[in-house]
Amino acid sequence: MKIKDSSAQTLTWLAAIILFIGLMIPSPAGQFFSAIFAGLVIAPPLCFGTPRRRISAGIVALVAALFAFAVFDEYQQDAEQYKNRIKQTTAEPSTPPRRDK
């Protein structure tokens, strides 16, 4: 199954733009998820495009994978800090008093 060359080109450019925007996001979570999203967008041209489009899609997919790999540690640290903040600010639920009959 092949997709139209213009569709493959559009998806390749869209993934590249998403990666570029991801570089400007200051949040590690935003950077990581933009790289993952770009990888999802580039999957159809990579699998179903013409051989020439597959090469360009492969390059963009490689950049997306390297970008996701580069920011993954920062993302994990940020997620751990977020979990710790939530634990500190969230009170334990109180148990209602028992009523013995």
Side-chain angles (χ1 to χ4, degrees), residues 26-70:
S27 165
Q31 291 176 345
F32 181 70
F33 287 117
S34 71
I36 298 299
F37 185 63
L40 291 173
V41 168
I42 202 65
L46 188 61
C47 296
F48 305 115
T50 61
R52 185 174 179 189
R53 291 292 170 212
R54 286 183 183 180
I55 292 171
S56 60
I59 292 169
V60 174
L62 180 65
V63 170
L66 290 174
F67 183 52
F69 183 72

Side-chain angles (χ1 to χ4, degrees), residues 62-99:
L62 180 65
V63 170
L66 290 174
F67 183 52
F69 183 72
V71 299
F72 184 69
D73 288 334
E74 292 178 37
Y75 165 68
Q76 281 187 320
Q77 291 172 358
D78 187 51
E80 192 63 36
Q81 289 174 356
Y82 177 74
K83 288 177 191 176
N84 291 336
R85 278 194 314 259
I86 293 300
K87 284 180 184 177
Q88 291 173 356
T89 58
T90 305
E92 290 291 324
S94 61
T95 58
R98 284 183 66 173
R99 291 187 179 177

